[in-house]
Amino acid sequence: MTRPLPVLFTHFGEEWIRGSEQVLLDLLNHIDRAKVAPVVWCNGDALAGACRQMGLPTYQTPFEFYFDYNQPRFRPGRYLSLVREGIGIVRRHGIQVLHANGAAPCQWLVPVRTLTRRPLLVHLHIDYLRRSRYVLLLHMADLIVGVSRQVTDGFRDDGMPPERLKVIYNGLDFSRIPPARQDLRATLGIAPGAPVVATVGSLVRRKGHDLLLRAVAALPPGPPEAMPHLLVGSDGEVRGELEALAHELGIAERTHFLGYTDDIAAIYDAADIFALASRADAFGLVLAEAGHFGLPVVSTRVGGIPEVIVDGETGLLVPAEDVPALRDALGRLIGSADLRAEMGAAGRRRADELFAVSRMAGEFAACYRGLAEGTEVARPRATRFRPYAALLRSRHATTQDARRP
């Protein structure tokens, strides 16, 4: 019988369990332990505690990375200590594959990879600017896995060989979402016939909640009991601005800021439509989640969203920053119960088939085995330096052009 493959999962993040942390926990919880033996190395108490509760060997270190935007000054001793600690974990557990959950760990895992001769996979949940891709040494990884094609496009433009780029869509553990504990419509006093639009996502500018508020406010007027309500199931740095905007637009009584809640099913159960007006989004986990709950989606045609939502089939996609188009899409769904039902059913089928955690875990397990056996990607050493050589050539050409009279 083949022994499970020891894999080191390294994550740098904040003190919370949100998008990339939850994806990692779902992966760890559903990976076949007969095939993969996970070891976790992270910086945060929340993630470390969750991994220890799963019975996983877990190491916790105050990580640092350098040279990127707004990062601390380079400390060679601190950097080398991370490399040494990584090498120690690899040797202690017989690690065969390194998995960086996000870009930052790549910066110290690349020398760990080189010195231990263990392949490195980097799982990226967002797209990165060119400077970040280079200073974090991402091109030196054996395999870049993006949550959408949009995440990997920059590496392709940099000259990274396509065989070292892969897309694995996020998989959600829908079973961890408990049944709704309340009837939100009744709790909030929403009339039975009133349409309800829901959104979930951190209250930050990138998510475009201000655009959604303006679109809801611009919907045609009607009887008070038939006017649409908006449920906002999250919190964040611009909440105060959004609450003020709702008052300014005259929809404060129909806009319900629910904050962070673990009763997420109650939001989906209360809604007729799910909307996300993102200005940028690499994937949109909540879109797949809303699909599982049978909700038609209105969202923007940015980033990886068109890979999650099929325009005209599981929802309606509009250009970013286009409030009239967002209003019209919401109005079209509000006005047709049949269209909502048709798109909601298609969204449920797509979510349960394409975005299930079992599919994601199986694809990653196959990647680890392929990397360990040398069959996942061809790894000629020279290909790692192609993007860096291309960058130097482009900068040299720019400098030469600037010197010409």
Side-chain angles (χ1 to χ4, degrees):
M1 181 178 176
T2 305
R3 295 178 58 187
L5 189 73
V7 176
L8 176 62
F9 295 83
T10 306
H11 177 84
F12 175 87
E14 304 295 336
E15 274 302 340
W16 56 46
I17 302 294
R18 294 187 191 168
S20 62
E21 292 85 8
Q22 190 59 66
V23 171
L24 177 59
L25 289 175
D26 284 346
L27 174 59
L28 293 171
N29 198 37
H30 287 269
I31 200 84
D32 187 345
R33 298 293 179 84
K35 296 179 179 178
V36 176
V39 177
V40 177
W41 188 24
C42 63
N43 65 309
D45 291 337
L47 184 64
C51 292
R52 289 181 180 123
Q53 283 188 342
M54 294 167 61
L56 299 176
T58 302
Y59 296 84
Q60 196 172 350
T61 302
F63 293 145
E64 286 184 2
F65 64 99
Y66 310 98
F67 308 119
D68 205 7
Y69 300 94
N70 302 316
Q71 294 307 312
R73 178 175 302 200
F74 181 55
R75 297 196 294 168
R78 182 78 191 104
Y79 177 75
L80 291 175
S81 73
L82 292 175
V83 175
R84 285 195 298 269
E85 187 172 359
I87 291 172
I89 295 172
V90 168
R91 291 174 175 167
R92 193 172 305 124
H93 293 275
I95 298 296
Q96 296 299 304
V97 176
L98 305 170
H99 175 130
N101 189 53
C106 190
Q107 197 176 70
W108 63 87
L109 286 179
V110 163
V112 174
R113 177 226 169 276
T114 301
L115 295 170
T116 63
R117 298 188 178 184
R118 299 296 190 269
L120 170 60
L121 177 154
V122 181
H123 187 196
L124 298 182
H125 303 265
I126 60 173
D127 58 319
Y128 287 82
L129 296 175
R130 192 184 194 197
R131 170 177 166 175
S132 302
R133 297 197 297 268
Y134 280 94
V135 302
L136 296 175
L137 307 180
L138 295 175
H139 304 90
M140 304 295 284
D142 295 276
L143 186 65
I144 296 287
V145 175
V147 298
S148 65
R149 289 188 296 275
Q150 181 253 355
V151 170
T152 62
D153 283 347
F155 295 93
R156 193 172 288 106
D157 295 340
D158 295 339
M160 197 165 179
E163 64 268 19
R164 289 173 49 213
L165 300 171
K166 189 180 184 70
V167 173
I168 297 180
Y169 291 132
N170 282 333
L172 296 176
D173 181 5
F174 299 121
S175 67
R176 67 175 167 77
I177 304 174
R181 296 195 300 271
Q182 60 179 317
D183 179 347
L184 265 183
R185 283 178 175 262
T187 301
L188 299 172
I190 300 173
V196 174
V197 179
T199 189
V200 177
S202 297
L203 303 190
V204 295
R205 186 180 182 279
R206 178 172 60 86
K207 293 294 184 180
H209 297 298
D210 57 314
L211 305 172
L212 182 57
L213 286 172
R214 294 184 186 280
V216 169
L219 287 166
E225 67 277 6
M227 292 300 291
H229 285 245
L230 176 62
L231 307 181
V232 184
S234 192
D235 213 331
E237 60 192 38
V238 299
R239 175 169 177 167
E241 297 174 27
L242 294 173
E243 289 176 328
L245 179 60
H247 279 280
E248 178 187 327
L249 295 170
I251 59 171
E253 291 185 356
R254 297 186 282 117
T255 304
H256 310 276
F257 290 91
L258 305 174
Y260 292 119
T261 174
D262 58 359
D263 195 10
I264 193 71
I267 297 176
Y268 292 125
D269 285 354
D272 299 295
I273 301 163
F274 186 87
L276 191 66
S278 295
R279 293 178 165 94
D281 217 317
F283 183 82
L285 279 171
V286 291
L287 299 176
E289 203 168 70
H292 170 74
F293 279 86
L295 289 178
V297 169
V298 172
S299 193
T300 46
R301 197 178 290 108
V302 299
I305 288 177
E307 297 175 55
V308 182
I309 301 302
V310 181
D311 189 23
E313 181 180 323
T314 66
L316 300 174
L317 298 182
V318 302
E321 304 275 3
D322 192 334
V323 171
L326 193 61
R327 174 205 60 205
D328 292 346
L330 290 171
R332 182 180 170 192
L333 285 175
I334 288 171
S336 175
D338 289 343
L339 184 60
R340 293 199 304 270
E342 179 183 334
M343 288 187 168
R348 182 183 292 112
R349 289 192 299 270
R350 181 173 173 80
D352 291 352
E353 178 182 343
L354 198 57
F355 306 123
V357 69
S358 57
R359 186 268 316 152
M360 178 182 73
E363 290 191 42
F364 271 107
C367 282
Y368 304 145
R369 183 61 62 183
L371 285 168
E373 296 174 351
T375 59
E376 173 63 32
V377 291
R379 298 197 299 272
R381 189 169 300 175
T383 66
R384 289 195 185 81
F385 298 96
R386 284 180 190 168
Y388 295 90
L391 177 66
L392 290 173
R393 284 195 299 271
S394 67
R395 290 195 170 184
H396 176 71
T398 302
T399 302
Q400 292 296 100
D401 289 344
R403 289 175 179 171
R404 288 170 184 164

